[in-house]
Amino acid sequence: MPISSIEDKKRLVRRLAGSGRGFAEQYGFQVTNNPSSLFQLLYLSLLLSRRGDFRRAVESAQALRDTGWDSAARLARSLHESRVRVLRDAGQRGDVDALANMLGDLARTVVDEYRGDLRRLRGKAHYDPRVERKLLAELPGVDGQVVELFLREAQVLWREVAPVADRRALAAARRLGLGRSAGELAGLAGSGESERFAWLVGALARVDLEKRYAEVMS
């Protein structure tokens, strides 16, 4: 049963936000303000946006990184056939050729437009969240869902975009009785607590994806 009292909600928020560092870092992707980390968050987000088991998406992103394609420049220099092989070995199904093409196009565009550094995209947008979203959505393979997943993680660094909660985080928040919007969750996390909010929504997304509702409510 969803919780209803404000104190119980805040207690659960503190527990969720304190249980780890959001979503990406729980799976080995650092959320730090450098070009490699930001690009890894972007291709993790792209893979997570696809249908199928989220673990396959995480494992594919880990495989790309562990192959040495941990930056836009390195992925841009990779061979299409090599990307296909790595993605297939990581469990990707369906049109893997198209996915490999998309990842290559994404890397080359980030290199060509922003010299491999998504912080330059942020600078081009003059820290305007609306423009940041627009520029991100212009990248190959990046749609609105990918933007939300990326900003869910990056908001701890790009604080102007906060609060961002993707559909998975909001689904968990509704089911747990914590609220129905990013604004409501931000209110529970506390004003000025952008880092806590980022860890909270990442934890909520994990609860939904991992189906851990009973554990959280126990």
Side-chain angles (χ1 to χ4, degrees):
M1 176 178 290
I3 55 179
S4 55
S5 81
I6 293 296
E7 285 309 310
D8 284 345
K9 289 180 181 183
K10 288 184 176 180
R11 192 175 298 113
L12 179 56
V13 163
R14 286 193 296 269
R15 180 153 65 91
L16 287 168
S19 64
R21 293 172 63 84
F23 184 93
E25 292 206 349
Q26 286 294 308
Y27 295 103
F29 291 90
Q30 292 189 334
V31 183
T32 54
N33 196 29
N34 65 64
S36 292
S37 174
L38 290 169
F39 186 68
Q40 289 169 42
L41 291 177
L42 184 60
Y43 67 56
L44 172 64
S45 300
L46 187 153
L47 290 163
L48 285 168
S49 72
R50 292 166 57 84
R51 291 182 180 177
D53 187 347
F54 82 95
R55 293 176 183 83
R56 187 176 299 157
V58 170
E59 288 167 5
S60 297
Q62 290 169 339
L64 294 172
R65 180 198 60 201
D66 295 345
T67 301
W69 304 329
D70 56 354
S71 69
R74 291 192 176 102
L75 186 58
R77 292 195 295 267
S78 66
L79 297 176
H80 172 77
E81 295 78 9
S82 299
R83 295 194 299 275
V84 170
R85 174 180 50 78
V86 168
L87 291 167
R88 287 196 194 282
D89 288 349
Q92 284 293 328
R93 299 292 181 266
D95 195 346
V96 180
D97 277 313
L99 177 58
N101 269 329
M102 186 184 299
L103 288 165
D105 289 344
L106 174 63
R108 286 187 290 271
T109 301
V110 171
V111 169
D112 292 344
E113 296 292 329
Y114 303 109
R115 287 187 268 175
D117 188 348
L118 290 169
R119 295 176 301 181
R120 293 182 180 277
L121 179 150
R122 188 185 183 201
K124 181 178 179 179
H126 301 291
Y127 305 93
D128 181 331
R130 182 185 60 81
V131 182
E132 287 168 351
R133 288 174 177 273
K134 177 178 178 293
L135 293 177
L136 284 167
E138 290 174 355
L139 296 172
V142 177
D143 58 14
Q145 185 180 355
V146 179
V147 171
E148 290 300 306
L149 291 168
F150 174 76
L151 293 179
R152 181 189 71 197
E153 303 299 317
Q155 67 184 317
V156 71
L157 306 168
W158 297 12
R159 299 196 174 192
E160 67 275 8
V161 304
V164 178
D166 70 299
R167 65 183 182 85
R168 290 285 186 180
L170 290 176
R174 287 192 297 270
R175 187 162 171 179
L176 294 170
L178 294 177
R180 306 182 67 84
S181 70
E184 288 182 81
L185 288 174
L188 288 173
S191 59
E193 295 287 347
S194 58
E195 186 172 274
R196 179 189 290 178
F197 176 79
W199 305 150
L200 169 64
V201 293
L204 285 169
R206 289 196 347 261
V207 167
D208 188 65
L209 285 164
E210 297 170 3
K211 308 303 179 192
R212 292 193 295 109
Y213 288 100
E215 174 190 332
V216 168
M217 294 300 292
S218 63

